[in-house]
Amino acid sequence: MSTVLHETTTAAASTGSTRKGLREGAFGHARALACRECGHEVELGPSYACPECFGPLEVAYDFPNVTREEIAAGPANIWRYKALLPVPSDIEQSPNTEPGFTRLLQAHNLGRELGIDTLWVKDDSTNPTNSFKDRVVACALSAARELDAKVFACPSTGNLANAVAAAGARAGMKTVVFIPSNLEKPKQVNSAVYTDHLVAVDGNYDDVNKLASEIAGEEEGWAFVNVNVRPFYAEGSKTLGYEIAEQLGWRLPDQVVIPVASGSQLTKVDKAFRELVALGLVEDKPYKVFGAQATGCSPVSVAYKAGTDAIRPVKPDTIAKSLAIGNPADGIYVLDICRRSGGAVEDITDDEVRDGILLLARTEGIFTETAGGTTVGVLKKLVETGQLDPTLETVVINTGMGLKTLDAVADRVGPAATIAPSYDAFVASGVL
């Protein structure tokens, strides 16, 4: 498979091992791409698999000294952490959707409902395209620019398609997004408004992802955000962890519950926490990480409960389509983090997903999509089964907006009554 976006000719960047032809500091303080399996390092570029063992690559850094004050003086978006991301120091000068620094809401009502003493919701539904995907796409867009990509693209379960289409439009790049043809209609519309190049594929996400990998191998100049520039893309999820710690007053929570699709978000929040400790920006302490899946696509939860590292791919069958990745690339790392930290991976049925959506909406006024319903529903189940300690400070991550998945709860809600426009009719309705 080709991973070359363009041929290059000039000197390497000064920070680390970087492809020829890139400007100095193109990837900030990133040193190399390092294999998560064998540790082998390769130069920074559009590569995602280790040439030695075919393990996944991720960004390794030589971090500078960074202070809390320097971060706090930055913009109110993810670029306040630019020194810790694979982006150039002038990243704010390039058009992007400026995601991040979303609210961390103390969820008093939901906490009381579930019996959790201190509960927070990290609400990423307020990002530019109403999901956390704007974070990862912002980092991928920076990499695509620096690598001189001509086409910005992705395979997606919906939210990523929205984010890539919007970011590509803002950047003035040709953008092509591939989705399963049965994707929720609002997510299709939310992508199509930004680009004429929305391609619906007859198949599930794993089929779409396979097609994207084939195109990446055949076509030059394409930057598939979650394929050939995946190491850079994935780093955007770290900003969720950075923000949680900063918004808690520069400390780590005791427990965090995170939805699992590919598993990348969970692994990168853990990476963010460990980086903050290593940099001396937060005090080291134990924290537990919990993963949430829908039962109709729960290969990681099944492996966790079976006590094995063998994750068997499944054919998804769930309303939580943004989590419907039957062969999760980072599943084994999710298992490792959850087990190492003392957390767990749990799953719930589609009816419980709908219950989770309504529970969050009616306690905290946050309308989440099915992924968030899954996370809240799993949080509830973790408390009920004694897997999560309700006396410990807990953060639950809401990754997307409920308006994208209206059909999931459309049959569960509606007018309490239809009445004539009179006071007597209202009284007779018995609504109150």
Side-chain angles (χ1 to χ4, degrees):
M1 176 182 297
S2 171
T3 57
V4 178
L5 287 175
H6 66 146
E7 294 300 326
T8 56
T9 57
T10 59
S14 64
T15 53
S17 176
T18 309
R19 293 180 65 82
K20 293 181 179 179
L22 298 177
R23 64 172 175 143
E24 183 174 343
F27 296 109
H29 298 282
R31 179 182 71 246
L33 297 180
C35 178
R36 294 166 72 178
E37 292 295 325
C38 71
H40 179 72
E41 294 191 355
V42 301
E43 65 181 7
L44 292 162
S47 303
Y48 60 99
C50 176
E52 297 294 326
C53 71
F54 303 107
L57 298 174
E58 68 174 358
V59 180
Y61 299 87
D62 289 325
F63 284 132
N65 291 324
V66 181
T67 67
R68 296 174 180 178
E69 291 74 19
E70 289 169 342
I71 291 173
N77 57 56
I78 64 171
W79 302 137
R80 68 199 285 110
Y81 308 107
K82 62 183 179 182
L84 309 179
L85 297 171
V87 299
S89 59
D90 62 352
I91 183 64
E92 297 103 317
Q93 305 306 313
S94 301
N96 60 74
T97 58
E98 299 179 345
F101 220 60
T102 56
R103 63 181 179 170
L104 181 70
L105 176 75
Q106 186 156 14
H108 296 288
N109 297 329
L110 180 59
R112 278 194 293 272
E113 183 74 20
L114 299 181
I116 300 174
D117 292 347
T118 306
L119 177 63
W120 302 85
V121 176
K122 180 58 176 170
D123 184 16
D124 250 23
S125 67
T126 57
N127 272 315
T129 65
N130 304 115
S131 89
F132 83 102
K133 290 294 187 181
D134 292 310
R135 297 174 183 272
V136 286
V137 167
C139 288
L141 178 59
S142 175
R145 278 199 186 99
E146 300 298 339
L147 293 166
D148 197 26
K150 305 305 180 189
V151 181
F152 197 48
C154 72
S156 172
T157 57
N159 282 326
L160 182 60
N162 301 167
V164 165
R170 174 95 170 113
M173 293 184 70
K174 183 176 182 180
T175 301
V176 184
V177 295
F178 299 86
I179 58 170
S181 58
N182 68 346
L183 191 66
E184 299 99 329
K185 189 68 175 179
K187 287 181 177 174
Q188 295 191 35
V189 174
N190 267 298
S191 294
V193 295
Y194 300 114
T195 178
D196 288 332
H197 303 101
L198 171 68
V199 181
V201 179
D202 289 330
N204 58 34
Y205 173 78
D206 296 296
D207 297 319
V208 180
N209 191 46
K210 181 180 178 183
L211 172 61
S213 298
E214 292 174 355
I215 295 173
E218 295 293 332
E219 300 288 338
E220 297 289 336
W222 285 56
F224 278 93
V225 302
N226 49 347
V227 181
N228 55 353
V229 292
R230 182 179 180 84
F232 305 97
Y233 153 94
E235 291 294 281
S237 284
K238 293 194 309 182
T239 58
L240 266 167
Y242 296 153
E243 289 179 18
I244 289 170
E246 182 178 356
Q247 291 171 319
L248 286 176
W250 291 108
R251 58 184 176 79
L252 303 181
D254 299 317
Q255 304 174 132
V256 57
V257 185
I258 306 171
V260 174
S262 72
S264 175
Q265 184 186 63
L266 186 148
T267 65
K268 291 302 182 288
V269 169
D270 175 68
K271 185 179 182 183
F273 287 171
R274 289 186 286 112
E275 286 179 350
L276 292 179
V277 171
L279 290 165
L281 293 170
V282 300
E283 183 178 346
D284 195 7
K285 60 168 282 188
Y287 58 85
K288 298 180 181 179
V289 182
F290 296 86
Q293 293 198 301
T295 303
C297 185
S298 55
V300 186
S301 178
V302 168
Y304 173 80
K305 293 174 181 176
T308 177
D309 288 338
I311 298 174
R312 302 185 64 176
V314 301
K315 186 175 181 179
D317 182 15
T318 172
I319 63 169
K321 296 189 185 302
S322 60
L323 301 182
I325 296 179
N327 188 15
D330 283 0
I332 192 168
Y333 303 107
V334 170
L335 288 174
D336 176 64
I337 291 167
C338 292
R339 287 171 175 153
R340 168 172 52 80
S341 70
V345 188
E346 187 54 272
D347 60 272
I348 57 171
T349 67
D350 282 356
D351 277 345
E352 291 171 318
V353 171
R354 296 185 181 93
D355 292 342
I357 293 172
L358 296 180
L359 179 60
L360 183 60
R362 293 178 176 182
T363 54
E364 299 299 340
I366 298 172
F367 185 17
T368 180
E369 64 164 352
T370 49
T374 303
T375 313
V376 172
V378 163
L379 170 67
K380 181 174 184 288
K381 187 172 183 178
L382 290 168
V383 174
E384 292 173 346
T385 56
Q387 298 178 82
L388 183 141
D389 187 342
T391 68
L392 298 180
E393 184 175 54
T394 303
V395 175
V396 60
I397 293 178
N398 174 38
T399 51
M401 165 68 74
L403 291 176
K404 296 184 178 187
T405 57
L406 279 173
D407 287 349
V409 291
D411 294 337
R412 296 277 294 270
V413 297
T418 300
I419 63 173
S422 72
Y423 178 72
D424 289 343
F426 170 68
V427 173
S429 72
V431 169
L432 295 180

